[in-house]
Amino acid sequence: MDLLTVNDRPGQYPDSYYAATTEQQVLRQKAEGRIDCDICIVGGGYTGVSTALHLAERGLNVVLLEANRLGWGASGRNGGQVNTGMRLDQESLEGMFGVDTARKLWAVADQAVSTVKQLIADHGIDCGFKPGVVHAAHRARYLGHERRLVEKMRKDYGVETLTFLNRAELHELVPSNFYHGGVLDLAAGHLHPLKYLLGLVTVAETGGARIFENSRVTAIHGGPRPRVITDSAEISCQTVIVGCNGYTGGLLEDISRHVMPINGFIAATRPLSPDEVQSVLRRDYAVADSKFVINYYRLSQDKRLLFGGGEAYGYRFPKNIAAMIRKPLSQVYPQLANIEFDYTWGGTLGITMSRMPYFHRHQGSILSASGFSGQGVALGTFAGKILADAINGESRVFDLLAALPAKAFPGGRRFQSPLLFLAMSWYALRDRFA
Ligand SMILES: Cc1cc2nc3c(=O)[nH]c(=O)nc-3n(C[C@H](O)[C@H](O)[C@H](O)COP(=O)(O)OP(=O)(O)OC[C@H]3O[C@@H](n4cnc5c(N)ncnc54)[C@H](O)[C@@H]3O)c2cc1C
């Protein structure tokens, strides 16, 4: 199944709220003929564009190839949440990797969020960044763990930006009876993901990176002087960076074995009235809840509710995304059960078995970062800096992440879809009846 074509019109953005509210972009040239450069980057999402930006800043000759449009993948379609930490909490990471490594991983994730904020501030990227993400617990029994974790983060990691919320405190921010309490994270935040990505593109191009669109890479040949092939160009370079995440497909089998693509879906309601806003989100914080098939939502700048959620396994998007999202939306906010959706869309992200990102060096001169497991706004952006540093000989963080044990998904790429269906159905079922 070719995820670059199966659910979308090639070369065109999906009909998302984000594409509709972003200034029309000039179409960059398609790559043609023979091109020489220092670094060739494949993929025009946060990972690829941030790598281009950080390398161009250091004076390297950089070419980036995007199969469709810049931000066409998950980077232009996501929930916009800039989350702190890795996908798993620090208690789990300490158990998996030991305290020392867990602390280093926290430092990486912490720098990832700071890097996003710094890039926005330094380059005046107009993407509506707002601080605050609420983690809402839909089971009362999760609250003990949440409270302990906030205390641990304060004591062991010096984190003062997390606040435990009991039921009443949570309802002050998120007035939904679906939740029993949660945690407010004021270091996290939310933004317009496509505007943010295109802001990074401007910085990369100003720095001298050459960026091509509608230039799908069909093969990468490693070796001392790798070659990257599209249907109309051949790029010769010193190093290749692969940042295709959930859309990698068969381009690099090693990534496909370690990073499973899964689809996520979002609906944008019509703009809410001031009373409706008060009935869903009293402060402009984003929310991510504790369901296995997570609900995540926030207000847009024009006060629509952007609600992500719903279950659909298999690689084709369901025909009726709206009906699928309406189910969890009406559980959380029954008063919005029949609200009009002006936009619905889906996108593909990459997850790993461990939920840790997958950084890898393939045949020496090909590097990749993917599998951000739903944390890619911050981690994908920072991956670009980590990859750029590694190319410049500062590979401490790259080596730390590449050394994390990474299990391949059993059965290879052909069996991923049925396997995913079984696993997700089981977990979703447990969530429903637990
Ligand atoms: C619905 C949804 C909601 C999400 N919500 C959040 C959230 O709230 N917070 C968060 O942190 N993360 C979220 N994520 C995940 C996040 O969007 C991703 O982790 C992140 O965008 C990954 O960036 P990337 O650059 O690695 O990959 P992508 O943005 O997917 O970019 C990969 C690019 O590579 C291109 N490409 C692929 N193959 C080729 C090829 N052969 N040749 C040339 N180009 C190629 C694709 O066209 C694509 O543009 C969400 C994802 C989805 C789908």
Side-chain angles (χ1 to χ4, degrees):
M1 179 99 35
D2 179 7
L3 286 166
L4 280 169
T5 53
V6 69
N7 293 309
D8 292 281
R9 296 166 310 238
Q12 288 183 49
Y13 289 110
D15 294 325
S16 70
Y17 165 77
Y18 299 133
T21 50
T22 300
E23 218 174 286
Q24 189 87 19
Q25 292 284 303
V26 259
L27 178 63
R28 271 78 177 172
Q29 247 179 282
K30 184 175 167 138
E32 309 267 4
R34 285 181 179 274
I35 301 174
D36 269 330
C37 62
D38 297 329
I39 317 291
C40 179
I41 299 167
V42 188
Y46 302 133
T47 304
V49 173
S50 169
T51 310
L53 177 160
H54 284 100
L55 286 170
E57 194 169 75
R58 294 164 206 199
L60 282 150
N61 180 352
V62 178
V63 162
L64 183 148
L65 304 168
E66 163 54 46
N68 293 291
R69 304 296 311 271
L70 295 158
W72 177 93
S75 299
R77 308 178 187 221
N78 62 66
Q81 299 201 4
V82 184
N83 289 310
T84 58
M86 296 284 169
R87 185 74 185 87
L88 301 177
D89 64 43
Q90 287 306 116
E91 202 172 82
S92 310
L93 295 185
E94 288 181 4
M96 283 163 77
F97 306 119
V99 174
D100 188 45
T101 300
R103 280 180 189 274
K104 289 182 183 153
L105 293 172
W106 175 259
V108 170
D110 195 38
Q111 285 173 56
V113 172
S114 320
T115 301
V116 172
K117 293 176 183 170
Q118 198 66 48
L119 284 165
I120 293 171
D122 287 353
H123 303 287
I125 300 176
D126 175 19
C127 59
F129 179 84
K130 302 244 171 71
V133 173
V134 172
H135 296 276
H138 78 296
R139 303 264 181 237
R141 66 168 189 275
Y142 296 165
L143 292 180
H145 173 75
E146 297 290 356
R147 192 194 288 273
R148 273 200 317 279
L149 208 57
V150 169
E151 185 50 30
K152 175 183 176 58
M153 292 307 292
R154 197 185 56 72
K155 205 160 62 59
D156 296 351
Y157 288 81
V159 174
E160 302 284 351
T161 41
L162 295 171
T163 308
F164 175 78
L165 306 167
N166 63 27
R167 189 181 173 97
E169 289 161 341
L170 181 101
H171 285 197
E172 272 304 301
L173 308 176
V174 186
S176 162
N177 286 326
F178 193 59
Y179 301 121
H180 298 267
V183 174
L184 169 62
D185 183 349
L186 280 174
H190 57 105
L191 47 68
H192 187 305
L194 183 57
K195 286 189 183 174
Y196 169 60
L197 182 275
L198 293 170
L200 298 181
V201 169
T202 305
V203 183
E205 285 185 323
T206 309
R210 283 182 287 164
I211 296 188
F212 298 93
E213 292 182 301
N214 287 332
S215 302
R216 178 172 181 167
V217 171
T218 50
I220 301 173
H221 302 293
R225 183 102 192 141
R227 286 176 306 120
V228 177
I229 314 294
T230 75
D231 67 356
S232 58
E234 180 173 326
I235 292 90
S236 158
C237 57
Q238 284 162 15
T239 309
V240 183
I241 299 289
V242 180
C244 301
N245 202 30
Y247 295 95
T248 308
L251 189 63
L252 265 187
E253 284 292 340
D254 180 68
I255 301 179
S256 313
R257 283 190 296 113
H258 289 90
V259 176
M260 163 124 55
I262 62 167
N263 293 329
F265 305 95
I266 301 182
T269 67
R270 61 158 167 74
L272 303 182
S273 68
D275 284 349
E276 284 171 329
V277 168
Q278 282 303 302
S279 81
V280 295
L281 290 171
R282 299 220 169 111
R283 302 281 283 275
D284 209 346
Y285 297 141
V287 179
D289 76 15
S290 56
K291 287 199 72 179
F292 178 77
V293 180
I294 190 173
N295 296 313
Y296 49 98
Y297 46 95
R298 64 193 185 93
L299 293 169
S300 63
Q301 283 166 289
D302 59 355
K303 305 292 179 228
R304 297 164 189 277
L305 185 66
L306 306 183
F307 192 95
E311 298 165 33
Y313 311 119
Y315 290 140
R316 274 181 207 282
F317 291 174
K319 287 211 166 56
N320 196 340
I321 294 177
M324 195 189 63
I325 295 183
R326 208 171 279 288
K327 245 166 100 179
L329 171 64
S330 40
Q331 268 188 322
V332 177
Y333 295 122
Q335 72 274 29
L336 298 185
N338 296 314
I339 192 156
E340 301 89 310
F341 291 155
D342 286 346
Y343 306 90
T344 57
W345 66 96
T348 304
L349 59 145
I351 59 166
T352 59
M353 287 276 271
S354 65
R355 303 294 183 271
M356 296 305 291
Y358 182 61
F359 281 70
H360 199 71
R361 194 183 285 275
H362 316 256
Q363 308 166 34
S365 50
I366 306 171
L367 274 63
S368 73
S370 45
F372 305 109
S373 304
Q375 303 277 106
V377 179
L379 291 178
T381 304
F382 196 52
K385 177 162 188 319
I386 296 170
L387 291 162
D389 284 347
I391 286 172
N392 275 300
E394 304 151 39
S395 63
R396 201 175 38 85
V397 181
F398 181 91
D399 293 343
L400 167 78
L401 294 165
L404 296 175
K407 281 204 185 119
F409 283 96
R413 210 153 61 85
R414 227 153 38 93
F415 293 106
Q416 278 184 355
S417 181
L419 239 166
L420 177 70
F421 178 81
L422 281 174
M424 298 288 268
S425 307
W426 163 245
Y427 283 113
L429 214 69
R430 268 194 351 178
D431 203 26
R432 222 167 286 139
F433 295 116

